[in-house]
Coordinates of all heavy atoms in Angstrom, one line a residue:
M1 N 8.7 -55.2 13.4 CA 9.5 -54.2 14.2 C 11.0 -54.5 14.0 O 11.4 -55.7 13.9 CB 9.2 -54.4 15.7 CG 9.8 -53.2 16.5 SD 9.6 -53.5 18.2 CE 11.2 -52.8 18.8
I2 N 11.8 -53.5 13.9 CA 13.3 -53.6 13.6 C 14.0 -54.0 15.0 O 13.7 -53.3 16.0 CB 13.8 -52.3 13.1 CG1 13.2 -51.9 11.8 CG2 15.3 -52.4 12.9 CD1 13.5 -52.8 10.6
T3 N 14.8 -54.9 14.9 CA 15.6 -55.3 16.1 C 17.1 -55.3 15.8 O 17.5 -55.1 14.6 CB 15.2 -56.7 16.6 OG1 15.7 -57.7 15.7 CG2 13.7 -56.8 16.8
K4 N 17.9 -55.7 16.7 CA 19.3 -55.8 16.5 C 19.7 -56.9 15.6 O 20.8 -57.1 15.1 CB 20.1 -55.9 17.9 CG 20.0 -54.7 18.7 CD 20.7 -54.9 20.0 CE 20.5 -53.6 20.9 NZ 21.1 -53.7 22.2
D5 N 18.8 -57.8 15.3 CA 19.0 -58.9 14.4 C 18.9 -58.5 12.9 O 19.3 -59.2 12.0 CB 18.0 -60.0 14.6 CG 18.2 -60.7 16.0 OD1 19.4 -60.7 16.4 OD2 17.2 -61.2 16.6
D6 N 18.4 -57.3 12.7 CA 18.3 -56.8 11.3 C 19.7 -56.7 10.7 O 20.7 -56.3 11.4 CB 17.7 -55.4 11.3 CG 17.3 -54.9 9.9 OD1 18.3 -54.5 9.2 OD2 16.1 -55.0 9.5
W7 N 19.9 -57.1 9.5 CA 21.2 -57.2 8.9 C 21.9 -55.8 8.8 O 23.1 -55.8 8.7 CB 21.1 -57.8 7.5 CG 20.4 -57.0 6.4 CD1 19.1 -56.9 6.2 CD2 21.0 -56.0 5.5 NE1 18.8 -56.0 5.2 CE2 19.9 -55.4 4.8 CE3 22.3 -55.6 5.3 CZ2 20.2 -54.5 3.8 CZ3 22.5 -54.6 4.3 CH2 21.5 -54.1 3.6
R8 N 21.1 -54.7 8.8 CA 21.7 -53.4 8.7 C 22.2 -52.9 10.1 O 23.0 -51.9 10.1 CB 20.7 -52.4 8.2 CG 20.2 -52.8 6.8 CD 18.9 -52.0 6.4 NE 17.8 -52.4 7.3 CZ 16.6 -51.8 7.2 NH1 16.4 -50.8 6.4 NH2 15.7 -52.2 8.1
Y9 N 21.8 -53.5 11.2 CA 22.1 -53.0 12.5 C 23.6 -52.8 12.7 O 24.1 -51.8 13.1 CB 21.5 -53.9 13.6 CG 21.8 -53.4 15.0 CD1 21.1 -52.3 15.5 CD2 22.8 -54.0 15.7 CE1 21.4 -51.9 16.8 CE2 23.1 -53.6 17.0 CZ 22.4 -52.5 17.5 OH 22.8 -52.1 18.8
D10 N 24.4 -53.9 12.4 CA 25.8 -53.8 12.7 C 26.5 -52.7 11.9 O 27.5 -52.1 12.3 CB 26.5 -55.2 12.4 CG 26.4 -56.1 13.6 OD1 26.2 -55.6 14.7 OD2 26.6 -57.3 13.4
L11 N 26.0 -52.5 10.6 CA 26.6 -51.5 9.8 C 26.4 -50.1 10.3 O 27.3 -49.2 10.2 CB 26.0 -51.6 8.4 CG 26.4 -52.9 7.6 CD1 25.5 -53.0 6.3 CD2 27.8 -52.8 7.2
G12 N 25.2 -49.9 10.9 CA 24.9 -48.5 11.3 C 24.9 -48.2 12.8 O 24.7 -47.1 13.2
K13 N 25.2 -49.2 13.6 CA 25.1 -49.0 15.0 C 26.0 -47.9 15.6 O 25.8 -47.3 16.6 CB 25.3 -50.3 15.8 CG 26.7 -50.8 15.7 CD 26.8 -52.2 16.4 CE 28.2 -52.7 16.2 NZ 28.3 -54.1 16.5
N14 N 27.1 -47.6 14.8 CA 28.0 -46.5 15.3 C 27.4 -45.2 15.1 O 28.0 -44.2 15.7 CB 29.3 -46.6 14.4 CG 29.1 -46.4 12.9 OD1 28.1 -46.9 12.4 ND2 29.9 -45.6 12.3
L15 N 26.2 -45.1 14.5 CA 25.6 -43.8 14.4 C 24.6 -43.5 15.5 O 23.9 -42.5 15.5 CB 24.8 -43.7 13.0 CG 25.7 -43.7 11.8 CD1 24.9 -43.9 10.5 CD2 26.5 -42.5 11.7
K16 N 24.6 -44.4 16.5 CA 23.7 -44.3 17.6 C 23.8 -42.9 18.3 O 24.9 -42.4 18.6 CB 24.1 -45.3 18.7 CG 23.2 -45.3 19.9 CD 23.7 -46.5 20.8 CE 23.1 -46.6 22.1 NZ 21.7 -46.5 22.3
G17 N 22.6 -42.3 18.5 CA 22.5 -41.0 19.2 C 22.9 -39.8 18.4 O 22.9 -38.7 18.9
R18 N 23.3 -40.0 17.1 CA 23.8 -38.8 16.3 C 22.6 -38.0 15.9 O 21.5 -38.4 15.8 CB 24.5 -39.3 15.1 CG 25.8 -40.1 15.4 CD 26.9 -39.2 15.8 NE 27.3 -38.3 14.8 CZ 28.2 -38.6 13.9 NH1 28.8 -39.7 13.9 NH2 28.6 -37.7 12.9
E19 N 22.9 -36.7 15.5 CA 21.9 -35.8 15.0 C 22.1 -35.7 13.5 O 23.2 -35.6 13.0 CB 22.2 -34.4 15.6 CG 21.5 -34.1 16.9 CD 21.6 -32.6 17.3 OE1 22.7 -32.1 17.1 OE2 20.7 -32.1 17.8
F20 N 20.9 -35.5 12.9 CA 20.9 -35.5 11.4 C 20.1 -34.3 10.9 O 19.2 -33.8 11.6 CB 20.2 -36.8 10.9 CG 21.0 -38.0 11.1 CD1 21.0 -38.6 12.4 CD2 21.8 -38.6 10.1 CE1 21.7 -39.8 12.6 CE2 22.5 -39.7 10.4 CZ 22.5 -40.4 11.6
V21 N 20.3 -34.0 9.7 CA 19.5 -33.0 9.0 C 19.1 -33.6 7.6 O 19.9 -34.2 6.9 CB 20.4 -31.7 8.6 CG1 19.5 -30.7 7.8 CG2 20.9 -31.1 9.9
F22 N 17.8 -33.5 7.4 CA 17.3 -34.0 6.1 C 17.5 -33.0 5.0 O 17.2 -31.8 5.1 CB 15.8 -34.3 6.2 CG 15.2 -35.0 5.0 CD1 15.5 -36.3 4.7 CD2 14.5 -34.2 4.0 CE1 15.0 -36.9 3.6 CE2 14.0 -34.9 2.9 CZ 14.3 -36.2 2.7
K23 N 18.2 -33.4 3.9 CA 18.6 -32.5 2.9 C 18.8 -33.2 1.6 O 19.0 -34.4 1.5 CB 19.8 -31.6 3.3 CG 21.0 -32.5 3.6 CD 22.0 -31.7 4.4 CE 22.6 -30.5 3.6 NZ 23.8 -29.9 4.3
Q24 N 19.0 -32.3 0.5 CA 19.4 -32.8 -0.8 C 20.8 -33.3 -0.7 O 21.7 -32.7 -0.1 CB 19.3 -31.7 -1.8 CG 19.2 -32.2 -3.2 CD 18.7 -31.1 -4.1 OE1 18.9 -30.0 -3.9 NE2 18.0 -31.6 -5.2
Y25 N 21.1 -34.5 -1.3 CA 22.5 -35.0 -1.2 C 23.5 -34.1 -1.9 O 23.2 -33.7 -3.1 CB 22.5 -36.4 -1.9 CG 24.0 -36.9 -1.9 CD1 24.6 -37.2 -0.8 CD2 24.7 -36.9 -3.1 CE1 26.0 -37.6 -0.8 CE2 26.0 -37.3 -3.2 CZ 26.6 -37.6 -2.0 OH 28.0 -38.0 -2.0
K26 N 24.6 -33.8 -1.3 CA 25.7 -33.1 -1.8 C 27.0 -33.6 -1.2 O 27.1 -33.6 0.0 CB 25.5 -31.6 -1.6 CG 26.5 -30.7 -2.3 CD 26.1 -29.2 -2.1 CE 27.0 -28.3 -2.9 NZ 28.4 -28.4 -2.5
P27 N 27.9 -34.1 -2.0 CA 29.1 -34.5 -1.4 C 29.9 -33.4 -0.8 O 29.9 -32.3 -1.3 CB 29.9 -35.2 -2.6 CG 29.2 -34.7 -3.8 CD 27.9 -34.2 -3.5
L28 N 30.7 -33.7 0.2 CA 31.5 -32.6 0.9 C 32.7 -32.2 0.0 O 33.1 -31.1 0.0 CB 32.1 -33.2 2.2 CG 31.2 -33.2 3.4 CD1 31.9 -33.7 4.6 CD2 30.5 -31.9 3.7
S29 N 33.2 -33.1 -0.8 CA 34.3 -32.8 -1.6 C 34.0 -33.0 -3.1 O 33.2 -33.9 -3.4 CB 35.5 -33.8 -1.2 OG 36.4 -34.0 -2.2
E30 N 34.6 -32.2 -3.9 CA 34.4 -32.3 -5.3 C 35.0 -33.5 -5.9 O 34.6 -34.0 -7.0 CB 35.0 -31.1 -6.0 CG 34.5 -29.8 -5.4 CD 34.1 -28.8 -6.4 OE1 34.7 -28.7 -7.5 OE2 33.1 -28.0 -6.1
E31 N 36.0 -34.1 -5.2 CA 36.6 -35.3 -5.7 C 35.7 -36.6 -5.4 O 36.0 -37.6 -5.9 CB 37.9 -35.5 -5.0 CG 39.0 -34.5 -5.3 CD 39.9 -34.2 -4.1 OE1 40.3 -35.2 -3.5 OE2 40.3 -33.1 -3.9
N32 N 34.7 -36.3 -4.6 CA 33.8 -37.5 -4.3 C 32.5 -37.3 -5.0 O 31.9 -36.2 -5.0 CB 33.6 -37.5 -2.8 CG 32.6 -38.6 -2.4 OD1 32.6 -39.6 -3.0 ND2 31.9 -38.3 -1.3
D33 N 32.0 -38.3 -5.7 CA 30.7 -38.2 -6.4 C 29.6 -38.9 -5.8 O 28.5 -38.9 -6.2 CB 30.8 -38.5 -7.9 CG 31.0 -39.9 -8.2 OD1 31.3 -40.7 -7.2 OD2 30.9 -40.3 -9.4
H34 N 29.9 -39.7 -4.8 CA 28.8 -40.5 -4.1 C 29.2 -40.9 -2.7 O 30.3 -40.8 -2.3 CB 28.5 -41.7 -4.9 CG 29.5 -42.8 -4.8 ND1 30.6 -42.9 -5.5 CD2 29.5 -43.9 -4.0 CE1 31.3 -43.9 -5.2 NE2 30.6 -44.6 -4.2
D35 N 28.1 -41.2 -1.9 CA 28.3 -41.7 -0.6 C 27.3 -42.9 -0.5 O 26.5 -43.2 -1.4 CB 27.9 -40.7 0.5 CG 29.1 -39.8 0.8 OD1 30.0 -40.2 1.5 OD2 29.1 -38.6 0.3
H36 N 27.4 -43.6 0.6 CA 26.5 -44.8 0.8 C 25.7 -44.6 2.1 O 26.2 -44.0 3.1 CB 27.3 -46.1 0.9 CG 28.0 -46.4 -0.3 ND1 27.4 -47.2 -1.3 CD2 29.2 -46.1 -0.8 CE1 28.2 -47.3 -2.3 NE2 29.4 -46.7 -2.0
C37 N 24.5 -45.1 2.1 CA 23.7 -45.1 3.4 C 24.5 -45.9 4.4 O 25.0 -47.0 4.1 CB 22.4 -45.8 3.1 SG 21.5 -46.1 4.6
G38 N 24.6 -45.3 5.6 CA 25.4 -46.0 6.7 C 24.8 -47.3 7.2 O 25.5 -48.0 7.9
F39 N 23.6 -47.5 6.8 CA 22.9 -48.8 7.2 C 22.9 -49.8 6.0 O 23.5 -50.9 6.1 CB 21.5 -48.5 7.7 CG 21.5 -47.9 9.1 CD1 21.5 -46.5 9.2 CD2 21.5 -48.7 10.2 CE1 21.4 -45.9 10.4 CE2 21.5 -48.1 11.5 CZ 21.4 -46.7 11.6
C40 N 22.2 -49.4 5.0 CA 21.9 -50.4 3.9 C 22.9 -50.3 2.7 O 22.8 -51.1 1.8 CB 20.5 -50.3 3.4 SG 20.2 -48.8 2.5
T41 N 23.8 -49.3 2.8 CA 24.8 -49.0 1.8 C 24.2 -48.6 0.4 O 24.9 -48.5 -0.6 CB 25.8 -50.2 1.5 OG1 25.1 -51.3 0.8 CG2 26.3 -50.8 2.8
E42 N 22.9 -48.3 0.4 CA 22.3 -47.7 -0.9 C 23.1 -46.5 -1.2 O 23.6 -45.7 -0.4 CB 20.9 -47.4 -0.5 CG 20.1 -46.8 -1.7 CD 19.5 -47.9 -2.6 OE1 19.5 -49.1 -2.2 OE2 19.2 -47.6 -3.8
K43 N 23.3 -46.2 -2.5 CA 24.1 -45.2 -3.0 C 23.4 -43.8 -3.1 O 22.2 -43.7 -3.5 CB 24.6 -45.5 -4.4 CG 25.9 -44.9 -4.8 CD 26.4 -45.4 -6.1 CE 27.4 -46.6 -5.9 NZ 27.9 -47.1 -7.2
F44 N 24.1 -42.8 -2.6 CA 23.6 -41.4 -2.8 C 24.5 -40.8 -3.9 O 25.7 -40.9 -3.8 CB 23.9 -40.5 -1.6 CG 22.9 -40.8 -0.4 CD1 23.3 -41.8 0.5 CD2 21.7 -40.2 -0.4 CE1 22.4 -42.0 1.6 CE2 20.8 -40.5 0.7 CZ 21.2 -41.4 1.7
S45 N 23.9 -40.1 -4.9 CA 24.7 -39.4 -5.9 C 23.8 -38.4 -6.7 O 22.7 -38.7 -6.9 CB 25.4 -40.4 -6.8 OG 26.0 -39.7 -7.9
Q46 N 24.4 -37.3 -7.0 CA 23.7 -36.4 -7.9 C 23.8 -36.8 -9.3 O 23.0 -36.5 -10.2 CB 24.3 -35.0 -7.8 CG 24.0 -34.3 -6.5 CD 24.8 -33.0 -6.3 OE1 25.9 -32.9 -6.8 NE2 24.2 -32.1 -5.6
L47 N 24.9 -37.6 -9.6 CA 25.2 -37.9 -11.0 C 24.8 -39.3 -11.5 O 24.5 -39.5 -12.7 CB 26.7 -37.8 -11.2 CG 27.4 -36.5 -10.7 CD1 28.9 -36.6 -10.8 CD2 26.9 -35.4 -11.6
I48 N 24.7 -40.2 -10.6 CA 24.4 -41.6 -10.9 C 22.9 -41.8 -11.0 O 22.1 -41.5 -10.1 CB 25.0 -42.6 -9.9 CG1 26.6 -42.3 -9.9 CG2 24.7 -44.0 -10.3 CD1 27.3 -43.0 -8.8
D49 N 22.5 -42.4 -12.2 CA 21.0 -42.7 -12.4 C 20.5 -43.7 -11.3 O 21.2 -44.7 -11.1 CB 20.8 -43.3 -13.8 CG 20.5 -42.2 -14.8 OD1 20.4 -41.0 -14.4 OD2 20.5 -42.6 -16.0
G50 N 19.4 -43.4 -10.8 CA 18.8 -44.3 -9.8 C 19.3 -44.2 -8.4 O 18.9 -44.9 -7.5
A51 N 20.4 -43.4 -8.2 CA 20.9 -43.2 -6.9 C 20.0 -42.3 -6.1 O 19.2 -41.5 -6.6 CB 22.3 -42.6 -6.9
L52 N 20.1 -42.3 -4.8 CA 19.3 -41.5 -3.9 C 19.7 -40.0 -4.1 O 20.9 -39.7 -4.1 CB 19.4 -41.9 -2.5 CG 18.9 -43.3 -2.1 CD1 19.3 -43.7 -0.8 CD2 17.4 -43.4 -2.3
K53 N 18.8 -39.1 -4.1 CA 19.1 -37.7 -4.2 C 18.9 -36.9 -3.0 O 19.2 -35.7 -2.9 CB 18.2 -37.0 -5.3 CG 18.2 -37.8 -6.6 CD 19.5 -37.5 -7.4 CE 19.5 -38.1 -8.8 NZ 20.6 -39.0 -9.0
E54 N 18.3 -37.5 -1.9 CA 18.2 -36.8 -0.7 C 18.2 -37.8 0.5 O 17.9 -39.0 0.2 CB 16.9 -35.9 -0.6 CG 15.6 -36.8 -0.9 CD 14.4 -35.9 -1.0 OE1 14.5 -34.7 -1.2 OE2 13.3 -36.5 -0.8
G55 N 18.5 -37.3 1.6 CA 18.5 -38.2 2.8 C 18.9 -37.5 4.0 O 18.9 -36.3 4.1
Y56 N 19.4 -38.2 5.0 CA 19.7 -37.6 6.3 C 21.2 -37.6 6.4 O 21.9 -38.6 6.3 CB 19.1 -38.5 7.4 CG 17.6 -38.4 7.5 CD1 16.8 -39.2 6.8 CD2 17.0 -37.4 8.3 CE1 15.4 -39.1 6.8 CE2 15.6 -37.3 8.4 CZ 14.9 -38.2 7.7 OH 13.5 -38.0 7.7
Q57 N 21.7 -36.4 6.6 CA 23.2 -36.2 6.8 C 23.5 -35.9 8.2 O 22.8 -35.1 8.9 CB 23.6 -35.0 5.9 CG 25.1 -34.7 6.0 CD 25.5 -33.4 5.3 OE1 24.8 -32.5 5.3 NE2 26.7 -33.4 4.7
T58 N 24.6 -36.5 8.7 CA 25.0 -36.1 10.1 C 25.5 -34.7 10.2 O 25.9 -34.1 9.2 CB 26.1 -37.0 10.6 OG1 27.2 -37.0 9.6 CG2 25.7 -38.5 10.8
I59 N 25.4 -34.1 11.4 CA 26.1 -32.8 11.6 C 27.6 -33.0 11.3 O 28.2 -34.0 11.8 CB 25.9 -32.4 13.1 CG1 24.4 -32.4 13.4 CG2 26.5 -31.0 13.3 CD1 23.5 -31.6 12.6
L60 N 28.2 -32.1 10.6 CA 29.5 -32.2 10.1 C 30.5 -32.3 11.3 O 30.4 -31.5 12.3 CB 29.9 -31.1 9.2 CG 29.1 -31.0 7.9 CD1 29.7 -29.9 7.1 CD2 29.1 -32.3 7.2
E61 N 31.5 -33.2 11.2 CA 32.5 -33.3 12.2 C 33.9 -32.9 11.7 O 34.4 -33.6 10.8 CB 32.6 -34.8 12.7 CG 31.5 -35.2 13.5 CD 31.8 -36.6 14.1 OE1 32.6 -37.3 13.5 OE2 31.2 -36.9 15.2
P62 N 34.4 -31.8 12.1 CA 35.7 -31.4 11.7 C 36.8 -32.3 12.2 O 36.7 -32.8 13.3 CB 35.9 -30.0 12.2 CG 34.8 -29.7 13.1 CD 33.9 -30.9 13.1
F63 N 37.8 -32.6 11.4 CA 39.0 -33.4 11.9 C 40.2 -32.9 11.1 O 40.1 -32.4 10.0 CB 38.7 -34.9 11.8 CG 38.7 -35.4 10.4 CD1 39.8 -36.1 9.9 CD2 37.5 -35.3 9.7 CE1 39.8 -36.6 8.6 CE2 37.5 -35.9 8.4 CZ 38.6 -36.5 7.8
T64 N 41.3 -33.2 11.6 CA 42.6 -32.8 11.0 C 43.4 -34.0 10.7 O 43.5 -35.0 11.5 CB 43.4 -31.9 11.9 OG1 42.6 -30.8 12.3 CG2 44.6 -31.3 11.3
W65 N 43.9 -34.1 9.5 CA 44.7 -35.3 9.1 C 45.9 -34.8 8.2 O 45.7 -34.0 7.3 CB 43.8 -36.2 8.3 CG 44.5 -37.5 7.9 CD1 44.9 -38.5 8.8 CD2 44.9 -37.9 6.6 NE1 45.5 -39.5 8.0 CE2 45.6 -39.2 6.7 CE3 44.8 -37.3 5.3 CZ2 46.1 -39.9 5.6 CZ3 45.4 -38.0 4.2 CH2 46.0 -39.3 4.4
N66 N 47.1 -35.1 8.6 CA 48.3 -34.7 7.9 C 48.4 -33.2 7.8 O 48.7 -32.6 6.8 CB 48.3 -35.3 6.5 CG 49.0 -36.6 6.5 OD1 49.5 -37.1 7.5 ND2 49.1 -37.3 5.3
G67 N 47.9 -32.5 8.9 CA 48.0 -31.1 9.0 C 47.0 -30.3 8.2 O 47.0 -29.1 8.1
K68 N 46.0 -31.0 7.5 CA 45.0 -30.4 6.8 C 43.6 -30.6 7.5 O 43.4 -31.6 8.1 CB 44.9 -30.9 5.4 CG 46.0 -30.3 4.4 CD 45.8 -30.9 3.0 CE 44.7 -30.3 2.2 NZ 44.6 -30.8 0.9
D69 N 42.8 -29.6 7.4 CA 41.4 -29.7 8.0 C 40.4 -30.3 7.0 O 40.3 -29.9 5.9 CB 41.0 -28.3 8.4 CG 41.8 -27.7 9.5 OD1 42.3 -28.5 10.3 OD2 41.9 -26.5 9.6
Y70 N 39.7 -31.2 7.6 CA 38.6 -31.9 6.8 C 37.3 -31.9 7.6 O 37.3 -31.6 8.8 CB 39.0 -33.3 6.5 CG 40.2 -33.5 5.6 CD1 41.4 -33.6 6.2 CD2 40.1 -33.6 4.2 CE1 42.6 -33.8 5.4 CE2 41.2 -33.7 3.4 CZ 42.4 -33.8 4.0 OH 43.5 -34.0 3.2
E71 N 36.2 -32.2 6.9 CA 35.0 -32.5 7.6 C 34.5 -33.8 7.3 O 34.7 -34.3 6.2 CB 34.0 -31.4 7.3 CG 34.2 -30.1 7.8 CD 33.2 -29.0 7.4 OE1 32.8 -29.0 6.3 OE2 32.7 -28.3 8.3
N72 N 33.9 -34.5 8.2 CA 33.4 -35.8 8.0 C 31.9 -35.8 8.1 O 31.3 -35.1 9.0 CB 34.0 -36.8 9.1 CG 33.7 -38.2 8.8 OD1 33.6 -38.6 7.6 ND2 33.4 -38.9 9.8
D73 N 31.2 -36.5 7.2 CA 29.8 -36.7 7.3 C 29.4 -38.1 7.0 O 30.2 -38.9 6.5 CB 29.0 -35.7 6.4 CG 29.3 -36.0 4.9 OD1 30.1 -36.8 4.6 OD2 28.5 -35.5 4.1
E74 N 28.2 -38.5 7.4 CA 27.6 -39.8 7.1 C 26.2 -39.5 6.6 O 25.5 -38.6 7.0 CB 27.5 -40.6 8.4 CG 28.8 -40.8 9.1 CD 29.5 -42.1 8.8 OE1 29.0 -42.8 7.9 OE2 30.6 -42.3 9.3
W75 N 25.8 -40.4 5.7 CA 24.4 -40.3 5.1 C 23.6 -41.5 5.5 O 24.1 -42.6 5.5 CB 24.5 -40.1 3.6 CG 25.0 -38.8 3.2 CD1 26.3 -38.4 3.2 CD2 24.2 -37.7 2.9 NE1 26.4 -37.0 2.8 CE2 25.1 -36.6 2.6 CE3 22.8 -37.4 2.8 CZ2 24.6 -35.3 2.3 CZ3 22.4 -36.2 2.5 CH2 23.3 -35.1 2.2
V76 N 22.3 -41.3 5.7 CA 21.4 -42.4 6.0 C 20.2 -42.2 5.1 O 19.6 -41.0 5.0 CB 21.0 -42.4 7.5 CG1 19.9 -43.5 7.7 CG2 22.2 -42.7 8.3
C77 N 19.7 -43.2 4.4 CA 18.5 -43.0 3.6 C 17.2 -43.0 4.5 O 17.2 -43.4 5.6 CB 18.4 -44.2 2.6 SG 17.9 -45.8 3.2
S78 N 16.2 -42.4 3.9 CA 14.9 -42.2 4.7 C 14.4 -43.5 5.3 O 13.9 -43.5 6.4 CB 13.9 -41.6 3.8 OG 14.3 -40.4 3.3
E79 N 14.4 -44.5 4.5 CA 13.9 -45.8 5.0 C 14.6 -46.3 6.2 O 14.1 -46.6 7.3 CB 14.0 -46.9 3.9 CG 13.2 -48.1 4.2 CD 13.3 -49.1 3.1 OE1 13.5 -48.7 1.9 OE2 13.1 -50.3 3.4
C80 N 16.0 -46.3 6.2 CA 16.8 -46.7 7.3 C 16.6 -45.8 8.5 O 16.6 -46.2 9.6 CB 18.2 -46.8 6.9 SG 18.6 -48.2 5.8
F81 N 16.6 -44.5 8.2 CA 16.4 -43.5 9.3 C 15.1 -43.9 10.1 O 15.2 -44.0 11.3 CB 16.4 -42.1 8.8 CG 16.4 -41.1 9.9 CD1 17.6 -40.6 10.4 CD2 15.3 -40.6 10.5 CE1 17.7 -39.7 11.4 CE2 15.3 -39.7 11.6 CZ 16.5 -39.3 12.0
N82 N 14.1 -44.1 9.4 CA 12.8 -44.3 10.0 C 12.8 -45.7 10.7 O 12.2 -45.9 11.8 CB 11.6 -44.2 9.0 CG 11.3 -42.8 8.7 OD1 11.3 -41.9 9.6 ND2 11.2 -42.5 7.4
D83 N 13.4 -46.7 10.1 CA 13.5 -48.0 10.7 C 14.3 -48.0 12.0 O 14.0 -48.7 12.9 CB 14.2 -49.0 9.7 CG 13.2 -49.4 8.6 OD1 12.0 -49.1 8.7 OD2 13.7 -50.1 7.7
F84 N 15.4 -47.2 12.1 CA 16.3 -47.3 13.2 C 16.2 -46.1 14.2 O 16.9 -46.1 15.2 CB 17.7 -47.5 12.7 CG 18.0 -48.8 12.2 CD1 17.9 -49.1 10.8 CD2 18.3 -49.9 13.0 CE1 18.1 -50.3 10.3 CE2 18.5 -51.1 12.5 CZ 18.5 -51.4 11.1
K85 N 15.4 -45.1 13.9 CA 15.5 -43.9 14.7 C 15.2 -44.2 16.2 O 15.7 -43.6 17.1 CB 14.6 -42.8 14.2 CG 13.1 -43.1 14.2 CD 12.4 -41.9 13.6 CE 10.9 -42.2 13.7 NZ 10.1 -41.8 12.5
D86 N 14.2 -45.1 16.5 CA 13.9 -45.4 17.9 C 14.9 -46.3 18.5 O 15.4 -46.1 19.6 CB 12.5 -46.1 17.9 CG 11.4 -45.1 17.5 OD1 11.6 -43.9 17.7 OD2 10.4 -45.6 17.0
L87 N 15.3 -47.4 17.8 CA 16.3 -48.4 18.3 C 17.6 -47.7 18.6 O 18.3 -48.0 19.6 CB 16.4 -49.5 17.3 CG 17.3 -50.7 17.7 CD1 16.6 -51.4 18.9 CD2 17.5 -51.7 16.6
L88 N 18.1 -46.8 17.8 CA 19.4 -46.2 17.9 C 19.4 -44.7 18.3 O 20.4 -44.1 18.3 CB 20.2 -46.4 16.6 CG 20.7 -47.8 16.4 CD1 21.3 -48.0 15.0 CD2 21.8 -48.2 17.5
D89 N 18.2 -44.2 18.7 CA 18.1 -42.9 19.2 C 18.6 -41.9 18.2 O 19.4 -41.0 18.5 CB 18.8 -42.8 20.5 CG 18.5 -41.5 21.2 OD1 17.4 -40.9 21.0 OD2 19.3 -41.0 22.0
L90 N 18.3 -42.0 16.9 CA 18.7 -41.1 15.9 C 17.9 -39.8 16.0 O 16.7 -39.9 16.2 CB 18.5 -41.7 14.5 CG 19.2 -43.0 14.2 CD1 18.9 -43.5 12.8 CD2 20.7 -43.0 14.5
K91 N 18.5 -38.7 16.0 CA 17.8 -37.4 16.2 C 17.8 -36.5 15.0 O 18.7 -36.5 14.2 CB 18.5 -36.6 17.3 CG 18.6 -37.4 18.6 CD 19.4 -36.5 19.6 CE 19.4 -37.2 21.0 NZ 20.5 -38.2 21.1
I92 N 16.7 -35.7 14.9 CA 16.7 -34.6 13.9 C 17.1 -33.4 14.5 O 16.6 -33.0 15.6 CB 15.2 -34.4 13.4 CG1 14.6 -35.8 12.9 CG2 15.2 -33.4 12.3 CD1 14.9 -36.1 11.5
K93 N 18.1 -32.7 13.9 CA 18.6 -31.4 14.5 C 17.5 -30.4 14.4 O 16.9 -30.2 13.4 CB 19.8 -30.9 13.8 CG 20.4 -29.7 14.4 CD 21.6 -29.3 13.6 CE 22.1 -27.9 13.9 NZ 21.9 -27.3 15.2
K94 N 17.2 -29.8 15.5 CA 16.2 -28.7 15.6 C 16.9 -27.4 15.2 O 18.0 -27.0 15.8 CB 15.6 -28.6 17.0 CG 14.9 -29.9 17.4 CD 14.0 -29.7 18.6 CE 13.3 -30.9 19.0 NZ 14.2 -32.0 19.3
S95 N 16.3 -26.7 14.3 CA 17.0 -25.4 13.8 C 16.5 -24.2 14.7 O 15.6 -24.3 15.4 CB 16.7 -25.2 12.3 OG 15.3 -25.3 12.1
Ligands
ZN101 ZN1 19.6 -47.1 4.0

C-alpha cells in the first residue's frame, strides 16, 4: 500500500483533491514539447521516443502574468494516479 513515505509523495502532494481528465498528452504551448508526471517525473511527450503519450491532466487553471493570460496544467501518469488517488483524493472529472 502507498503511504506518505513513498518517495513520490512529497513531489505530488500539492495535487491533493484536484480533478483530472484522462487524455492523450498535448502540451498547452507550442514552445513546450514535454511535461513531467507530477509525482514520478516520468516524461510526457508526443515527440520523444519512449515518453508517455497519455495520462491524467488537471483541469486547466487560467492565470495572468505580466499582463498576458496563460493556462496552467499538471500531468500525472496512470501508475501514479492509481497509486495516489485514495491517499490524496485525486478525482476524475465527470463530464
Ligand atoms: Zn508518475
Side-chain angles (χ1 to χ4, degrees):
M1 193 192 144
I2 300 292
T3 70
K4 293 178 181 178
D5 293 330
D6 190 281
W7 68 275
R8 297 166 295 176
Y9 178 79
D10 273 345
L11 292 168
K13 66 185 178 196
N14 60 317
L15 295 170
K16 183 175 170 52
R18 295 284 298 274
E19 268 190 320
F20 293 81
V21 178
F22 185 76
K23 59 197 294 190
Q24 201 164 30
Y25 174 70
K26 189 172 180 298
L28 283 183
S29 156
E30 307 227 325
E31 294 150 37
N32 177 30
D33 70 350
H34 75 278
D35 277 283
H36 294 273
C37 171
F39 287 91
C40 70
T41 73
E42 185 80 19
K43 206 174 267 185
F44 288 94
S45 175
Q46 292 174 325
L47 306 173
I48 299 169
D49 270 354
L52 297 169
K53 304 287 187 234
E54 58 185 18
Y56 291 87
Q57 181 191 34
T58 53
I59 306 303
L60 299 184
E61 287 191 334
F63 69 100
T64 306
W65 185 70
N66 271 357
K68 282 180 76 178
D69 292 330
Y70 296 90
E71 287 180 315
N72 189 37
D73 67 347
E74 304 264 3
W75 286 84
V76 173
C77 75
S78 297
E79 191 180 333
C80 292
F81 189 89
N82 286 316
D83 284 350
F84 285 97
K85 65 181 185 220
D86 294 331
L87 188 64
L88 284 171
D89 193 26
L90 307 180
K91 301 179 175 83
I92 306 271
K93 183 175 165 33
K94 299 192 179 62
S95 49

